[in-house]
Amino acid sequence: MRHTKVKDLLNSTTTLQEVNAKGWVRTFRNNQFIALNDGSTINNIQCVVDFENTPDETLKRITTGAAISVIGTLIESKGAGQKYEIQVNKLEILGDSDAEKFPIQPKNKPSLDFLRENAHLRVRTNMFGAIMRVRSVLSFAVHNYFQQKGFVYVNTPIITGSDAEGAGEMFKVTALPFDNTPRTEDGKVNYKEDFFEKETNLTVSGQLEGETYAMALGQIYTFGPTFRAENSNTSRHLAEFWMIEPEVAFNNLDDNMDLAEDFIQYVIKYALDNCQDDLKFLEGRLLDEEKSKPQAERSEMALLEKLNFVLENNFKRVSYTEAIDILRDSTPNKKKKFQYIINEWGADLQSEHERYLVEKHFKCPVILFDYPANIKAFYMRLNDNTESGRETVRAMDILFPGIGEIVGGSEREERYDVLIEKMKALEIDEEELSWYLDTRRFGSATHAGFGLGFERLVLFVTGMTNIRDVIPFPRTPGNAEF
Ligand code: 4AD
Ligand code: MG
């Protein structure tokens, strides 16, 4: 007899048939009621054991975390809270779980910190089961969105010789020994003797390679892991995170904003339509968590309301210059409540400023665009009407409530001469990026793209507050367990 998933049992249209369920025991009450979960849904199926006819030896082994198989009759439940239950006829312990040792005990409500240290077991909780199912559905929605629109999925390399963002936050990849490292005459590491015969690192972004594909296939997207060795120990940064990077030939910045907004709304709607039980549970979790916070720090909207709000309202599009004016005149700036006071045009925005704009001023997702050239990456297109001394580029960042920056993107500098000049000014190796420059040498055209940090999206949709809780095995400074 094949076993049936708990989700299908709970959605069953007939009763009284004999069924087999397999899963892990969540709780066992009164020597009689097992709450069984198999990960297919947040909901458990109740299995009622005939304890009088079950040996004590077996009953003792029905402990939280144990894997079991039950065969029994699916019946309508008399108890409140569930439609169906299984009247157990045969119970088999597949794998014991020592009640004294199993770390995830529902009764003592383990802290998120404790669960992070037990990332291999935390997925056995309702919370992490829900988060990881939502994460999976969201990644399917990403592919669905782009595939339906005819975008080509491109796998850009993970090991690369280039620094796409020019920010120097890369993890080196080398097969050289650390002792007796081969050196050049001037004492530098001789990468000619390394595996790739050059210096290589883990990619910080697939954009540059993606651009070359967009300039042939028209519309492409990447969806893969990216790595940043920035030492930001925050609740929004990971050293290894997943990024989605669409790139579209002939799109300008406005098209790029339209695409990003439509895409984000689509994937959120997809999650709302396909993860109802999990999102309802996560909404309850958030309400619970916020009970312990002062009123002023609680969210104004419950999770589902917040997600629907994003679907129903256009993102507010605001230029960097307008944003600086708003920030300069804001109460926290005047009262010196910001850690970084905004005095003049050109200042880089910190997350405190981004969150003020989104959460206090506009109270909706915001797309900031036309940033000062010198705080953005080399590949962004210089604005035509730019004033000298106030050069701006066709960049955009999308800011979300509770998250800050969720998307960064731009129209690209398609003019060879302008791009070369910019690279010279920033001392970016033209030789190393010669292949990239070929897109501008041969058949260059306007194009644009963006990167969405997948974990930041999952954070937003699940209402979690720490990015370490929305990726199975987080990598952060000082932590690479598992
Ligand atoms: O703004 P970023 O650095 O942009 C790029 O990498 C461009 N090449 C994208 C493009 O135009 N194709 O990163 C894009 C997004 C951010 O907005 C943020 O959501 C996420 O990636 N991100 C991180 N997420 C988690 N941990 C980190 N350390 C992140 N750094 C960036
Ligand atoms: Mg950015």
Side-chain angles (χ1 to χ4, degrees), residues 64-79:
T64 297
I68 63 169
S69 170
V70 298
I71 292 176
T73 319
L74 190 69
I75 58 167
E76 283 189 24
S77 178
K78 288 175 224 93

Side-chain angles (χ1 to χ4, degrees), residues 206-224:
Q207 179 195 321
L208 303 190
E209 293 88 350
E211 279 185 55
T212 69
Y213 264 56
M215 295 312 283
L217 299 174
Q219 322 175 85
I220 66 98
Y221 70 106
T222 73
F223 186 1

Side-chain angles (χ1 to χ4, degrees), residues 126-151:
N126 281 339
M127 189 194 321
F128 282 90
I131 295 166
M132 295 309 159
R133 276 187 299 269
V134 171
R135 182 183 165 107
S136 164
V137 168
L138 279 170
S139 66
F140 183 73
V142 167
H143 285 291
N144 234 0
Y145 178 82
F146 288 116
Q147 294 287 333
Q148 278 175 14
K149 287 193 171 294
F151 282 61

Side-chain angles (χ1 to χ4, degrees), residues 164-165 204-208 226 228 230 232 236-247 256 376 379-380 396-398 403 405-410 412 449-457 467:
E165 290 302 301
V204 295
S205 154
Q207 179 195 321
L208 303 190
T226 46
R228 295 197 185 174
E230 53 190 334
S232 316
R236 307 278 177 271
H237 288 88
L238 290 165
E240 177 178 296
F241 65 99
W242 286 65
M243 185 151 57
I244 295 132
E245 296 187 274
E247 190 71 34
N256 205 33
K376 288 289 181 187
Y379 49 71
M380 297 185 179
M396 64 176 215
D397 276 4
I398 303 186
I403 306 288
E405 181 190 332
I406 193 164
V407 161
S410 68
R412 316 307 187 188
F450 62 84
L452 173 124
F454 185 56
E455 284 74 21
R456 293 196 185 171
L457 173 72
I467 201 162

Side-chain angles (χ1 to χ4, degrees), residues 110-280:
S111 71
L112 287 168
D113 276 328
F114 175 83
L115 289 170
R116 259 169 237 148
E117 285 161 22
N118 289 279
H120 59 304
L121 293 174
R122 67 178 177 173
V123 69
R124 296 211 197 169
T125 63
N126 281 339
M127 189 194 321
F128 282 90
I131 295 166
M132 295 309 159
R133 276 187 299 269
V134 171
R135 182 183 165 107
S136 164
V137 168
L138 279 170
S139 66
F140 183 73
V142 167
H143 285 291
N144 234 0
Y145 178 82
F146 288 116
Q147 294 287 333
Q148 278 175 14
K149 287 193 171 294
F151 282 61
V152 178
Y153 177 41
V154 178
N155 301 118
T156 50
I158 287 169
I159 300 175
T160 167
S162 40
D163 177 3
E165 290 302 301
E169 292 165 337
M170 299 168 303
F171 289 100
K172 280 189 174 19
V173 174
T174 179
L176 288 177
F178 282 108
D179 33 17
N180 262 326
T181 314
R183 303 267 168 190
T184 57
E185 273 168 21
D186 51 2
K188 294 198 176 117
V189 174
N190 187 2
Y191 287 102
K192 284 248 160 16
E193 291 193 26
D194 203 350
F195 188 91
F196 297 108
E197 300 176 10
K198 63 181 285 193
E199 218 177 324
T200 50
N201 46 268
L202 294 177
T203 186
V204 295
S205 154
Q207 179 195 321
L208 303 190
E209 293 88 350
E211 279 185 55
T212 69
Y213 264 56
M215 295 312 283
L217 299 174
Q219 322 175 85
I220 66 98
Y221 70 106
T222 73
F223 186 1
T226 46
F227 307 86
R228 295 197 185 174
E230 53 190 334
N231 211 346
S232 316
N233 221 332
T234 78
S235 57
R236 307 278 177 271
H237 288 88
L238 290 165
E240 177 178 296
F241 65 99
W242 286 65
M243 185 151 57
I244 295 132
E245 296 187 274
E247 190 71 34
V248 184
F250 318 116
N251 263 11
N252 63 23
L253 189 66
D254 290 322
D255 304 322
N256 205 33
M257 292 189 210
D258 293 344
L259 177 67
E261 185 169 340
D262 189 52
F263 164 59
I264 293 175
Q265 289 178 331
Y266 175 91
V267 293
I268 291 177
K269 171 109 180 34
Y270 195 93
L272 276 168
D273 290 346
N274 291 281
C275 305
Q276 285 162 16
D277 290 352
D278 287 326
L279 290 176
K280 269 207 198 97

